[in-house]
Amino acid sequence: VWQSRIEELSRRETYQEPVSHMTCLIGIERPTALAVMVEVGDFKRFPSAECFGFGAPLRGFRSAGFAYCGDSL
C-alpha cells in the first residue's frame, strides 16, 4: 500500500519534473528519487549536478540504439 502511495506522490505536479530528472540516472526509480528530493529540499542551492554530488549532469542513456530517460521507456 505504501509503495502505491509513494508512486502517487511522485507523480504530483510539485514533484513530477524533478523526480523525472533523477530517474534518468541508472538505478534510480521514482521512490528513491522522491526520497532524495524530500531530503534535499531545494536543489537550487547547488549550482550544478556536480556540486550536488552526482558527478555528471542529469541525463538519460543509450543502449542497443534506444534512448532512455525516466519513465519514457
Side-chain angles (χ1 to χ4, degrees):
V1 175
W2 62 270
Q3 289 175 330
S4 61
R5 181 70 176 133
I6 291 171
E7 185 74 24
E8 178 186 324
L9 285 171
S10 73
R11 294 185 186 281
R12 284 191 178 178
E13 186 176 341
T14 304
Y15 304 117
Q16 188 171 359
E17 184 178 350
V19 166
S20 292
H21 286 298
M22 282 187 273
T23 58
C24 288
L25 298 168
I26 297 170
I28 304 293
E29 295 187 19
R30 297 190 77 83
T32 302
L34 182 63
V36 170
M37 188 183 156
V38 170
E39 288 292 329
V40 170
D42 185 11
F43 281 95
K44 292 179 183 173
R45 58 192 170 130
F46 301 98
S48 69
E50 290 85 0
C51 291
F52 175 71
F54 281 111
L58 300 178
R59 63 178 122 197
F61 65 96
R62 292 188 170 277
S63 177
F66 296 95
Y68 300 93
C69 181
D71 292 331
S72 61
L73 294 175

